[in-house]
Amino acid sequence: MKTIYKVITFAAVLFITISCGDEFLTKEPQGQFSSSGLATESGVEGLLLGSYKMLSGTGLDGQAPWENDVQNWVFGGIASDDAYKGTDAGDQPEQSFIEAYDFQAFNGHIRNKWRGLYKGVARANDALNTLKKVETISDQNRARIIGEARFLRGFFHMEARKMWRNPPYISDEIFDITDVESTKVPNNLEIWPLIEADFEEAMKSLPETQAQVGRPTKLAAMAFLAKAKMYQGWDANGSANSVKLLEAKALLDQIVSSGRFTLVDKFADNFLVATRNNAESIFEIQYAINSANDQASNQGVGLAHPYIDPWGCCGFYQASQNLVNAFKTTPSGLPLLDTFNDTDVTWQTPYNGPLDPRIDHSLGRPGILFKDFKIHGTDFIRDVSYAGPYSSMKHVAEQAAFGVGGWGNLTANNYRIMRYGMILLWLAEAEVEVGSLERARELVNIVRTRAANPGNFVPKAIQGSSRNDFTIVAGQPAANYIIKTYDTPWADKDLARKAVRFETRLEFSMEGHRFFDLQRWGIAAETLNKYLEVERTKRVYLAGRSFVKNKNEFFPIPLEAIDRSLKDGQPTLTQDPAY
């Protein structure tokens, strides 16, 4: 089925008309859109596609895709205990500051994240305002367009609220595409209620199913509304907000009881081009590529590929030793919730201790087959002494999908930003806080049962005579994979909470969520400072670094945004007081 992103590259060009009349001096400039010319059903659809385009991290002049990539490998990964910046010390220094919790208002990555998100908001608002002028359109299509635009606007604002403590909210009522002053509004309101209102309207307006993959459905809007509530589920000190958690639980229960989604049998199928938009998918960022055009490809993670052929660039986003250690299990197959980081999983010699099999689908490590390409080695890494021997993997396309376009790192591997496993584990979080510990255990065990499927196990591979050759050893896993369910009833609420959160890390590691999970749980400072205590002994560039509580949970508002918010001689935006 054709996805909407294959037509994003200016479908709106179809709406430009060229006249040969005598009044050529009053014609609209060629190649420029007019508001009146787009006030048609097809015109609004084109504007809406422009907002979808911003989901890919591209579509903004003067910005690298990874600076606004919603996969958040920089802000959600490198800023967490999941990953190092990687590559070498001199490459992309803006990311080095983020990794070291030196968040500055002039950091170009932070600035362009802001620019990209609010351009997405602007495009959604433009579509909504133009739709108001369209007379010839069915009620069904009008409702759907409103639902999609409100979903996108809610999405971009939620990404902003995750990044910044006090971002502004821009509605269609105040947005005027002809007036640059219209969006200069103060950031003195909590915008979570407005984000929720967008997703609530999307739930009402969106259909149960969509003809094209990549467009949100009613249940996708419900899932993102639940996510917004989960992000309000704890305060800065980690105390639970039972009202918001119960509201989220009601939505999550509806999604589960709908029967529309299920976990796929193989964990790895969430990270392959061949198995996009599967039974687990609730909403995916769609990517496409062919030999002639890579503009709709997964460009945001282009740098985060191994340094060896066939990629050759660029070695960013390397998994941390802390994350690798988190995949250790007890001989009985359960996680080491408190002691996982006491000793390291070794890499110079094979590690024979028990491991959760998800480790080798989440990151690359020496001696283990890297997807279906070759056995991972230190030659995958640009500078082992700088950021260790591990690499990132989930976003990397398999061999059959590599090299379709001009640069093989740009692929059609979708980003599964909302999948069913999240629903199950969010529901488990809520169940713990309301006291339903056994229901939480049941939900966690559903996720662990899938992970324990032997079909998930990476096979052992033996190096051949050339670097790219290997032989699979039939029936033999690559490591000592041991994972089991929690079979003893949960009676301790604190232990149950810790188990659910640990499971969340294992299931979604290196997917750009970790920093924001720690933020929403109110435990970022304690977790990341404990991480830094050990990492200072491994990564010399982290010496002396620390995470400042009640500050580093959020990023500073870009200085450029404040400067450009001047209205009547005064900025309408104010900086986060923590900065």
Side-chain angles (χ1 to χ4, degrees):
M1 183 180 293
K2 183 183 292 185
T3 70
I4 62 173
Y5 299 100
K6 293 180 181 178
V7 294
I8 272 179
T9 310
F10 279 106
V13 170
L14 297 173
F15 313 131
I16 300 174
T17 58
I18 301 175
S19 170
C20 295
D22 293 335
E23 297 178 356
F24 62 92
L25 293 177
T26 60
K27 289 192 303 182
E28 295 286 347
Q30 294 184 19
Q32 180 173 320
F33 306 129
S34 69
S35 297
S36 59
L38 293 175
T40 64
E41 181 172 356
S42 58
V44 172
E45 290 280 16
L47 291 172
L48 191 59
L49 287 177
S51 188
Y52 276 106
K53 178 66 174 175
M54 299 310 298
L55 293 174
S56 69
T58 58
L60 188 65
D61 293 340
Q63 173 207 330
W66 54 88
E67 296 173 354
N68 183 40
D69 181 31
V70 296
Q71 299 178 71
N72 280 321
W73 62 274
V74 175
F75 299 107
I78 290 172
S80 79
D81 50 359
D82 268 8
Y84 311 130
K85 184 204 75 170
T87 186
D88 63 20
D91 210 345
Q92 297 287 326
E94 298 93 340
Q95 294 182 21
S96 295
F97 286 109
I98 291 169
E99 181 180 16
Y101 305 108
D102 185 3
F103 302 160
Q104 298 293 338
F106 53 78
N107 186 299
H109 281 51
I110 297 172
R111 177 196 66 214
N112 285 332
K113 182 72 169 179
W114 178 285
R115 292 176 64 218
L117 292 177
Y118 280 100
K119 187 163 187 177
V121 169
R123 290 180 174 184
N125 280 330
D126 192 19
L128 285 167
N129 283 338
T130 304
L131 179 63
K132 297 169 187 175
K133 305 171 187 176
V134 177
E135 297 179 358
T136 307
I137 186 173
S138 69
D139 291 343
Q140 182 180 17
N141 277 351
R142 184 181 295 275
R144 177 186 56 77
I145 291 171
I146 290 172
E148 290 183 30
R150 294 289 296 268
F151 175 91
L152 291 167
R153 189 172 71 187
F155 176 91
F156 291 122
H157 276 115
M158 181 156 67
E159 285 294 298
R161 185 59 182 83
K162 288 162 54 184
M163 285 286 297
W164 297 285
R165 201 184 319 261
N166 55 335
Y169 181 90
I170 312 296
S171 70
D172 55 298
E173 286 83 5
I174 66 170
F175 178 82
D176 182 350
I177 196 171
T178 67
D179 181 9
V180 70
E181 301 286 296
S182 67
T183 58
K184 295 181 178 181
V185 299
N187 57 329
N188 57 359
L189 296 175
E190 174 56 75
I191 71 170
W192 277 122
L194 301 171
I195 293 168
E196 289 191 21
D198 272 335
F199 289 129
E200 287 167 354
E201 179 58 40
M203 279 175 54
K204 295 175 185 175
S205 302
L206 288 172
E208 296 284 347
T209 60
Q210 291 269 27
Q212 292 177 313
V213 295
R215 295 186 187 270
T217 63
K218 184 181 296 292
L219 285 177
M222 186 180 293
F224 277 89
L225 178 58
K227 179 176 180 177
K229 293 179 184 296
M230 292 300 294
Y231 268 79
Q232 300 168 77
W234 291 267
D235 67 16
N237 296 313
S239 298
N241 181 338
S242 59
V243 172
K244 285 298 174 185
L245 290 170
L246 284 170
E247 290 174 358
K249 180 182 176 316
L251 296 165
L252 297 165
D253 277 329
Q254 287 184 64
I255 296 171
V256 171
S257 63
S258 74
R260 290 286 301 279
F261 307 103
T262 186
L263 298 184
V264 294
D265 290 339
K266 295 182 178 180
F267 179 67
D269 282 350
N270 289 299
F271 317 109
L272 301 174
V273 176
T275 48
R276 297 176 299 174
N277 302 303
N278 58 40
E280 191 167 340
S281 172
I282 297 175
F283 188 70
E284 297 188 12
I285 310 300
Q286 304 289 319
Y287 297 104
I289 193 170
N290 58 50
S291 58
N293 187 351
D294 61 12
Q295 294 304 300
S297 65
N298 195 342
Q299 296 185 34
V301 289
L303 298 185
H305 283 68
Y307 208 64
I308 194 174
D309 70 275
W311 309 280
C313 180
C314 294
F316 284 81
Y317 197 32
Q318 290 182 234
S320 70
Q321 183 68 58
N322 182 283
L323 175 62
V324 173
N325 293 343
F327 285 97
K328 292 188 297 186
T329 67
T330 66
S332 59
L334 294 178
L336 300 166
L337 300 179
D338 297 308
T339 60
F340 73 93
N341 206 38
D342 288 355
T343 59
D344 288 345
V345 172
T346 56
W347 62 272
Q348 295 91 341
T349 56
Y351 179 79
N352 296 319
L355 292 169
D356 186 313
R358 287 172 288 191
I359 185 173
D360 294 323
H361 295 296
S362 302
L363 55 95
R365 62 191 183 102
I368 307 297
L369 185 62
F370 187 91
K371 291 207 166 176
D372 57 351
F373 284 93
K374 64 180 76 179
I375 296 173
H376 193 288
T378 55
D379 51 3
F380 273 54
I381 308 300
R382 189 171 186 175
D383 185 350
V384 173
S385 65
Y386 177 68
Y390 307 109
S391 58
S392 50
M393 177 191 286
K394 284 182 173 178
H395 57 276
V396 178
E398 66 272 30
Q399 277 215 56
F402 174 83
V404 178
W407 184 29
N409 293 22
L410 306 182
T411 73
N413 202 8
N414 287 355
Y415 176 49
R416 287 75 163 176
I417 195 168
M418 182 67 72
R419 52 190 177 90
Y420 187 55
M422 295 175 182
I423 303 302
L424 295 176
L425 290 178
W426 284 337
L427 184 54
E429 289 181 27
E431 297 287 11
V432 167
E433 301 305 331
V434 302
S436 302
L437 303 187
E438 281 300 276
R439 174 59 173 157
R441 182 171 70 92
E442 176 188 348
L443 292 162
V444 168
N445 281 343
I446 293 172
V447 175
R448 292 184 65 80
T449 297
R450 189 265 296 278
N453 175 8
N456 278 313
F457 297 175
V458 172
K460 182 175 181 179
I462 298 175
Q463 182 63 55
S465 57
S466 71
R467 185 65 184 90
N468 292 331
D469 291 337
F470 60 87
T471 302
I472 296 293
V473 180
Q476 189 168 342
N480 182 19
Y481 300 131
I482 300 178
I483 179 173
K484 298 293 176 61
T485 55
Y486 289 94
D487 295 333
T488 301
W490 285 354
D492 185 319
K493 187 173 183 178
D494 291 338
L495 183 61
R497 182 185 300 114
K498 187 179 297 184
V500 174
R501 291 177 177 178
F502 206 91
E503 195 67 29
T504 296
R505 186 186 191 189
L506 298 176
E507 180 74 6
F508 301 107
S509 66
M510 303 298 283
E511 294 184 48
H513 304 296
R514 177 63 174 172
F515 178 83
F516 300 111
D517 281 338
L518 295 174
Q519 173 203 89
R520 70 185 176 88
W521 292 328
I523 61 170
E526 63 189 77
T527 303
L528 294 175
N529 280 321
K530 185 176 181 180
Y531 162 74
L532 288 169
E533 285 179 11
V534 177
E535 289 305 318
R536 294 188 197 107
T537 68
K538 296 181 169 71
R539 311 270 75 85
V540 295
Y541 58 83
L542 291 176
R545 299 298 182 177
S546 63
F547 184 101
V548 180
K549 185 176 176 58
N550 296 325
K551 176 180 180 179
N552 292 140
E553 289 86 355
F554 295 93
F555 298 89
I557 291 178
L559 184 62
E560 179 183 278
I562 295 174
D563 290 343
R564 292 189 174 187
S565 74
L566 285 176
K567 192 172 184 179
D568 299 325
Q570 295 294 324
T572 56
L573 293 178
T574 57
Q575 184 58 271
D576 183 336
Y579 291 92

